[in-house]
Amino acid sequence: MSQTVEQIISAKWVIPVSGDGQKSNKVLNDYSVVVDKGVILELMPTPEVLSKYQTDHHFQLNDHALIPGLVNIHTHAAMSLFKGLADDLPLMIWLENHIWPAEREWVSDEFCEDGLKLAIAEMIRCGTTTFNDMYFQPNMTAKVAHTLGMRATVGMLMFDFPSVWGNGPEDYLKKGLQLRDDYKHHEMIQFAFAPHAPYTVSDEPLKKIATLSNELGIPVHMHVHETAHEVKEGLKNTGKRPIKRLQELGLMTPNLIAVHMTQLQRGEIELLMQNGVSVAHCPQSNMKLASGICPVQELITAGVNIAIGTDGNASNNDLNMLAEMKSAALLGKVFTGSAQACSAHDILHAATYGGAKALGQEDAIGSIEIGKAADLTAINLNTIESQPVYDPVSQIVYTAGREQVSHVWINGDIKLNNQQLVGIDIDEVIQRANHWKNAIQGQA
Amino acid sequence: MSQTVEQIISAKWVIPVSGDGQKSNKVLNDYSVVVDKGVILELMPTPEVLSKYQTDHHFQLNDHALIPGLVNIHTHAAMSLFKGLADDLPLMIWLENHIWPAEREWVSDEFCEDGLKLAIAEMIRCGTTTFNDMYFQPNMTAKVAHTLGMRATVGMLMFDFPSVWGNGPEDYLKKGLQLRDDYKHHEMIQFAFAPHAPYTVSDEPLKKIATLSNELGIPVHMHVHETAHEVKEGLKNTGKRPIKRLQELGLMTPNLIAVHMTQLQRGEIELLMQNGVSVAHCPQSNMKLASGICPVQELITAGVNIAIGTDGNASNNDLNMLAEMKSAALLGKVFTGSAQACSAHDILHAATYGGAKALGQEDAIGSIEIGKAADLTAINLNTIESQPVYDPVSQIVYTAGREQVSHVWINGDIKLNNQQLVGIDIDEVIQRANHWKNAIQGQA
């Protein structure tokens, strides 16, 4: 007799993405993923699945590729309300005259709640199942992600200076760890230390984070070497490049998620590799803010784990991981002068398994494997834009638009069903976004 | 009494895009475009339009931005059937082992007909109303574009060597001009000389093209300085850089559409400006093939006309002008190190008016102005991804996906109506694409 399970997802192509370093992802044709209690129970050929399992929820996705849910490794999700507020400006004018004043005036629990809903709706619609966030009011990040059933790693934000979220390093640390404690029974809400950047957090609090990170096995999510200016100022102020300083402070470990990394010398790439640091590559943000280019192919070749992120909506201006994958592949090629660099297969790996590994969650998510959480994304390739299909991985990275994402499951719960968001009221989310825009533009 | 007209299109935002060199495009709120006999009759505020005009076709696009139809300045449309055939390979292996053999084996009138339908369906769905094509079987490009009501500039292809379309320069020229003559009464099908590249067409035929282009006022559509390798070989073989050679042959005129131009020295930018040459910028193709980067902001600053193209689907792998605009803006910034470079406003201008000007059709298309053809694209900005809207031009370039293109008119005829293609059978187009894929993969 066949076993009853919660869901069977049969797809034309299942692309499990392996974590074994083999980057040419195998493609399983006419395959099914059996899901029960939020977990992947089995992968098997579709013609055989119904002889072994039965279910009330059989998704037959005859035109679709099924991939691991995408992991967005670097966001400031609530900033979605500032999407397009100030574009095409020099970095410091953008920050000092627009973003920082707007943040000082507007960021609050309520603002972040509305911004997070807008961001999470956008992320699910493009196939993202996990995001790694760094922003004010992480209490709201945890709350909204939990409420909407989104998998999140919440950044325990820290600066040297006070903000709406804390008074200084000790206060930030205390609040962050308290929040983490509040969510210790919510496995989908994980936490990372999130010291903003080398130039905004001083040595003592960074040392404390290094110690706690090692003791507790908590990731450290930090902007590092985003621009040449940052590195130059770091050298001037401390006598060493920021990476060197972080190494001396004990932060160069497999827990570190070093975001941006557009400035790297060869010895530094070896340092990252030897210490198991993950690099969070945000190509569209680096391009739009003219920050520089992360040497992704060199890092891949050296064996450094790469993850992909969109950065915040104020500097992208979307949270579209499909577009980010294409940008990563394209930028990697023109930067190295080699059309082989940053292949579609490598980039899909980075956007799934690479992200999971950066978060220390590669045993739970990041690939379609038995025993892992059912974080899954289905992409319809039977469109004018993606046909014909020679290699579904190429079509996903180079042709698929977010509108082709048809189904998304997080921990086995369906969040996008035939392109319809489940449990999120789009009209209300948009209405709230407009409320904030009118307030910010003085039209309230 | 009010005047009866064929259509009134009322949009939340009308962005006419001016051709006067003022690149910060004005945005007209709650405006209407009055269309009759395929032509823009008037632009006026929506609250007043119904007191002056009446119509049976009033489109009320309350969430939309209306822009001039996008002009894709460089395509090999029929190559859509090779979309994703061979990715992530070095340029010469890609060409010599994959694309050229596939072309020799498969390209025919029938192949091109099916590939063109696939391409034109894709182009209309992303808001493109005009494409400038260079490929084998231009007879089919003209025929399919005409049949589907797409505006096209058809390349009169030329190589030194024979191909499926001709035996040599004289034959190519004869066939091209004959085809142009066949379509002389079809104003939406225009023609350009399309000598493939400096390294594939020798001096004598290029001189003839220069003469004919000047006499007849026909554009010349040509790959120029696509890679450093091309320039180096040109220097070696002719003793001069290809641009210099084209200048001596009389091709540096306002008729020239120089495609790619990733290799430019400062004096060459002045040469382009002084001679009124247009540059066709194809950022995604240049990135994906690792060809190099066109110095777009420098060209804009120098006053050179810039147009935007996707290139063919084998090297992109889409014909999505919205994504191409974003790539142009982002690449321009990281390349120059200035977040101000290649602003959304400049890039929207390039993708509309700039393209029209390159084609010598700036009096007919490229902006929403009285007397011009009604080539119009409506984009729904009331989505999770584009809300809130601070500046609709920013949202179009940085956030809008092709799925937000809701309506497209070409010469006043509606080609996309509420996201539905008019007059194109998607299922049949996809079925034919699959037919060719199976044949090419040996599964026929």
Side-chain angles (χ1 to χ4, degrees), chain A residues 81 83 87-88 125 284 318 326 333 344 384-385 387 389-390 394 398-399 402-404 437, chain B residues 81 83 87-88 125 284 318 326 333 344 384-385 387 389-390 394 398-399 402-404 437:
Chain A
L81 294 172
K83 187 194 296 175
D87 289 320
D88 303 325
R125 276 158 61 99
Q284 291 197 356
D318 63 42
K326 182 166 181 176
K333 294 173 198 304
I384 288 284
E385 290 78 10
Q387 286 285 327
V389 178
Y390 293 93
S394 257
Y398 295 126
T399 75
R402 59 195 176 204
E403 75 282 5
Q404 292 170 241
K437 185 210 72 162
Chain B
L81 294 172
K83 186 193 297 173
D87 289 320
D88 303 325
R125 277 158 59 100
Q284 292 198 355
D318 62 42
K326 182 165 180 176
K333 294 173 198 303
I384 288 284
E385 291 77 9
Q387 285 286 325
V389 178
Y390 293 92
S394 257
Y398 294 126
T399 75
R402 60 195 176 205
E403 76 281 7
Q404 292 170 240
K437 185 210 73 162

Side-chain angles (χ1 to χ4, degrees), chain B residues 153-213:
Chain B
T153 294
V154 177
M156 297 181 280
L157 188 67
M158 180 183 286
F159 302 101
D160 278 347
F161 44 84
S163 74
V164 62
W165 173 242
N167 300 324
E170 284 194 30
D171 191 40
Y172 287 119
L173 192 61
K174 196 184 87 184
K175 282 181 172 155
L177 289 170
Q178 178 60 53
L179 185 63
R180 177 172 175 268
D181 200 51
D182 294 343
Y183 280 84
K184 66 185 167 194
H185 300 302
H186 298 78
E187 64 161 345
M188 285 171 59
I189 308 299
Q190 297 289 321
F191 288 81
F193 292 109
H196 170 261
Y199 56 94
T200 50
V201 187
S202 50
D203 286 0
E204 284 314 308
L206 286 179
K207 268 193 226 166
K208 190 169 283 181
I209 284 177
T211 304
L212 287 169
S213 165

